[in-house]
Amino acid sequence: MSFVLNLPPSMVAKTAKEGEDEEGEKKKSREDYKKMKELEEARKAGSVPAMKDEEGKDINPHIPQYIMQAPWYYGAMQPTLSHQRVQDMTKKPIINMDTWYKKGVKEGPVATKFRKGACANCGAVTHKKKDCLERPRKVGAKYSGDFIAPDEYVQPKFEFDYESKRDRWNGYDPETHKKVIEDFAKLEEAKKLLKSDRLEKTLEEGDKEEIKEKLQVGSDDEDEDKYAEDADMPGQKFESKQRITVRNLRIREDTAKYLHNLDVNSAYYDPKTRSMRENPFANQGKDARDLPYAGDNFVRMSGDARNIALGQTFAWEAYEKGAEVHLQADPTKLELLTKEYEKKKNEFKDDHKQSILDKYGGEEHLEAPPKQLLLAQTEEYVEYSRHGAVLKGQERATVKSRFEEDVYIGNHSSVWGSYWKDGKWGFKCCHSTVKGSYCTGETGKQLDENECPATLLQSQMEPPEPEKSLVELHQEKKDLSKGQKKREKKRKKKQQMKRKQKKVKKESSSSSSSDSSSSSDSEDEEAIKEKKIQQAMKELEEQSKEADRLLSIDERKRPFNSMFVAKEPTEEEMEAYRRKQKRTDDPMAAFFTR
């Protein structure tokens, strides 16, 4: 590798016209190129010193030509590698971590007057009113000038490089580690004090030399407990040749989980994690506590596992609220804190319960007899029927309530309106129809209504009839007119019958014309009756046609039938109905049309 001057294209064209090469010299011969090649090989072999750059540093001869060759616009006149390094113009200033992580409110005096350009709500200069996080004031600081809020730290716009963006320790304060060291020193000091107190007590009780030996042995054991993490696990094996540690946490003498139950449909075994969550003996009717293995879930929820899980959740909640506790680091402290919390919680519940009882009362209801005495025997004789009614003994007391709507008047055991007879309301307990009467019980039911004094009192105390409305008067008038018409029709029929009877008597007096007149009258009556029947049949046909027409119309468009008059049908109408009625039992009925 050798340095070749890289000139701009304009200089290359100019030197080409003059017949010179890129370095401004005459064109080199093949021997010169051969010498340059030999020199490059010698530098790579190490027999010749390496090429120097502008700073006097050696340039690696194994660097390729395209890396060492500087571009023409760089203007390198001697061997250099500065074009491969970070340029000064692209370097970013190193940012101080304290400046980056400086947040919150500035320390120092707070302004007492409103400043121009500050927030109109709180008075801080570092933000505007639309970015203010305080509660909107009724009168802003711009107009009141009171309670000016302190200014916050404004973060400048930083441009981090690749390393500073991904620095995991960026923003870490080393001073925080002093607290960990202080806690550890306090713990060691407390251990020393505890050990010295134990030594003094044992020296007072027994032989000094034997106790010292025991304490020395105990101290060695305690020191060994510190390094219990380095002890081998069950099934751990260290390969000295390969320098690796082989771990099999399952002891070889134990039965594998998947061998407890060889049924394909039994609990699932995951060979990757060596876990079997469900119980392999689930469908065999055995107690899980008597089995050699009942699944990982049973192990997790049996014994002290559940208490440890509850302790872990309590530690997390306490840490979020500011208490520095940890399950693995300080379990004793966590246990004491849990007991104290449960004690205070129970005391708070008792105080809350007592305050409610003091305010509303009812403590005597909580002092109920034990369950053994709730269904105890009694000397009071009560005989019941199969339906639950009391036959002999104490009668059932009426259910009473402290609400006003359940209070009965006049010693009644039922409400007004629970009894109805002959269009009158009354009480069900005594069948009294007087609202202000006193209850007479079963005797009132047994008395006859005519002899009952309550009914006589009611007849005497009947209020005057209320005035009738115009609609009721109109309806009564209409009913009277209908009744008068009926009476007129009956009167006319009677007169006609009398006239006919007179004619019959006159005609019977004459012996010659008696037979002929009777036959003609009977024929006339049958003809009149047949005409009436035919007229009734026509009316029935019209009614059926009208009914079919109404059924074909939409329900919402049908007229009302409020003026329909119901009356007793005549003999002719009944005969017309019988003739119009379909006779399914007559095979020849379809051939006759009426």
Side-chain angles (χ1 to χ4, degrees), residues 361-587:
E363 190 174 0
E364 63 276 4
H365 300 292
L366 299 177
E367 299 175 356
K371 293 183 179 180
Q372 293 81 5
L373 299 177
L374 288 175
L375 302 175
Q377 295 181 355
T378 177
E379 295 181 357
E380 296 179 358
Y381 176 76
V382 181
E383 186 177 343
Y384 296 91
S385 67
R386 66 175 62 186
H387 301 291
V390 178
L391 298 177
K392 295 180 181 179
Q394 183 183 5
E395 294 183 357
R396 285 187 178 180
T398 56
V399 180
K400 295 183 179 180
S401 175
R402 62 191 181 95
F403 296 103
E404 190 65 25
E405 56 265 25
D406 292 337
V407 176
Y408 302 114
I409 59 174
N411 200 29
H412 289 284
S413 59
S414 60
V415 296
W416 169 257
S418 59
Y419 175 69
W420 169 266
K421 187 176 181 182
D422 296 336
K424 298 175 184 178
W425 295 102
F427 296 96
K428 187 179 180 181
C429 55
C430 61
H431 290 185
S432 175
T433 55
V434 181
K435 191 172 184 180
S437 63
Y438 193 81
C439 183
T440 56
E442 293 294 332
T443 56
K445 292 181 182 179
Q446 296 174 0
L447 289 175
D448 191 13
E449 291 184 357
N450 297 328
E451 298 176 359
C452 183
T455 54
L456 295 173
L457 182 63
Q458 181 184 5
S459 62
Q460 295 174 4
M461 298 177 63
E462 279 184 355
E465 293 182 0
E467 296 183 358
K468 297 181 180 179
S469 61
L470 293 174
V471 180
E472 293 176 348
L473 292 173
H474 177 71
Q475 191 68 28
E476 288 179 0
K477 188 176 181 181
K478 194 174 180 181
D479 296 339
L480 288 173
S481 63
K482 289 180 181 178
Q484 288 176 359
K485 287 180 180 179
K486 288 181 179 180
R487 287 194 293 271
E488 286 290 333
K489 285 182 179 180
K490 289 181 179 179
R491 189 173 58 81
K492 287 179 180 179
K493 284 183 180 180
K494 288 180 180 180
Q495 289 178 359
Q496 288 178 0
M497 291 295 291
K498 287 179 180 179
R499 289 172 186 173
K500 288 179 181 179
Q501 289 175 1
K502 288 179 180 179
K503 287 180 181 179
V504 169
K505 287 179 181 179
K506 289 179 181 179
E507 290 172 354
S508 62
S509 62
S510 58
S511 59
S512 61
S513 60
S514 60
D515 297 330
S516 60
S517 62
S518 61
S519 61
S520 62
D521 289 336
S522 61
E523 289 177 0
D524 293 337
E525 287 177 1
E526 289 178 1
I528 291 168
K529 190 174 182 179
E530 186 65 23
K531 286 182 181 179
K532 289 182 180 180
I533 291 170
Q534 293 294 333
Q535 185 68 24
M537 291 175 67
K538 288 181 181 179
E539 290 177 0
L540 279 175
E541 289 178 359
E542 290 177 359
Q543 289 178 6
S544 63
K545 290 179 181 179
E546 183 67 16
D548 294 336
R549 187 184 68 81
L550 292 174
L551 288 172
S552 63
I553 302 173
D554 189 13
E555 292 181 1
R556 294 172 289 183
K557 297 181 180 179
R558 289 178 189 170
F560 293 98
N561 198 17
S562 60
M563 301 303 293
F564 180 78
V565 179
K567 62 180 180 178
E568 185 177 359
T570 60
E571 292 180 1
E572 291 79 11
E573 290 177 351
M574 291 296 296
E575 182 63 21
Y577 172 77
R578 294 189 195 99
R579 292 183 183 182
K580 282 287 183 182
Q581 194 175 13
K582 290 184 179 181
R583 291 170 291 172
T584 56
D585 56 341
D586 189 3

Side-chain angles (χ1 to χ4, degrees), residues 113-172:
K113 293 182 179 179
F114 183 78
R115 294 159 289 180
K116 187 177 180 181
C119 176
N121 185 40
C122 64
V125 185
T126 51
H127 62 269
K128 298 296 182 183
K129 184 178 180 180
K130 64 178 182 179
D131 301 326
C132 187
L133 298 177
E134 279 196 10
R135 180 180 59 82
R137 302 182 184 180
K138 189 175 182 181
V139 180
K142 181 178 181 180
Y143 304 101
S144 63
D146 298 333
F147 304 108
I148 303 296
D151 301 337
E152 302 96 354
Y153 286 104
V154 180
Q155 300 297 326
K157 188 176 180 181
F158 299 112
E159 295 181 0
F160 297 106
D161 54 359
Y162 186 87
E163 290 81 5
S164 57
K165 277 183 183 179
R166 292 157 181 80
D167 186 9
R168 61 181 297 188
W169 295 103
N170 200 351
Y172 174 72

Side-chain angles (χ1 to χ4, degrees), residues 137-330:
R137 302 182 184 180
K138 189 175 182 181
V139 180
K142 181 178 181 180
Y143 304 101
S144 63
D146 298 333
F147 304 108
I148 303 296
D151 301 337
E152 302 96 354
Y153 286 104
V154 180
Q155 300 297 326
K157 188 176 180 181
F158 299 112
E159 295 181 0
F160 297 106
D161 54 359
Y162 186 87
E163 290 81 5
S164 57
K165 277 183 183 179
R166 292 157 181 80
D167 186 9
R168 61 181 297 188
W169 295 103
N170 200 351
Y172 174 72
D173 188 7
E175 297 295 328
T176 57
H177 190 64
K178 288 183 179 179
K179 190 175 182 181
V180 180
I181 299 171
E182 291 174 357
D183 293 343
F184 185 77
K186 290 178 181 178
L187 187 62
E188 291 294 327
E189 190 68 26
K191 286 182 180 180
K192 290 179 181 178
L193 292 173
L194 186 63
K195 189 181 288 186
S196 62
D197 294 341
R198 195 185 304 165
L199 180 62
E200 290 177 358
K201 289 180 181 179
T202 51
L203 288 173
E204 292 175 358
E205 293 175 357
D207 191 5
K208 295 183 180 179
E209 293 181 358
E210 294 180 359
I211 292 166
K212 283 183 180 180
E213 291 178 358
K214 290 181 181 178
L215 288 172
Q216 287 178 359
V217 172
S219 63
D220 295 338
D221 295 339
E222 290 178 358
D223 293 338
E224 288 178 0
D225 293 338
K226 294 181 181 179
Y227 306 102
E229 295 178 357
D230 297 335
D232 293 341
M233 296 289 290
Q236 186 174 359
K237 182 181 178 184
F238 183 74
E239 296 287 344
S240 59
K241 295 180 180 179
Q242 298 181 357
R243 296 286 180 180
I244 60 172
T245 303
V246 181
R247 281 191 180 182
N248 271 325
L249 300 180
R250 184 177 68 83
I251 303 174
R252 296 292 100 184
E253 289 81 7
D254 294 343
T255 306
K257 298 176 182 178
Y258 53 86
L259 294 178
H260 287 296
N261 191 352
L262 299 179
D263 188 6
V264 180
N265 298 323
S266 64
Y268 174 73
Y269 174 74
D270 187 10
K272 187 174 183 180
T273 57
R274 295 177 182 174
S275 61
M276 182 183 284
R277 298 182 180 180
E278 298 180 359
N279 184 8
F281 306 97
N283 299 324
Q284 296 184 7
K286 298 180 180 179
D287 192 2
R289 290 172 291 185
D290 300 335
L291 297 174
Y293 177 74
D296 295 338
N297 289 340
F298 177 77
V299 175
R300 291 172 184 167
M301 297 304 295
S302 62
D304 291 334
R306 187 173 181 274
N307 298 331
I308 292 172
L310 293 174
Q312 181 66 69
T313 54
F314 177 77
W316 289 336
E317 293 174 358
Y319 183 77
E320 289 178 357
K321 295 178 181 178
E324 295 184 359
V325 288
H326 197 275
L327 178 64
Q328 286 80 20
D330 203 349

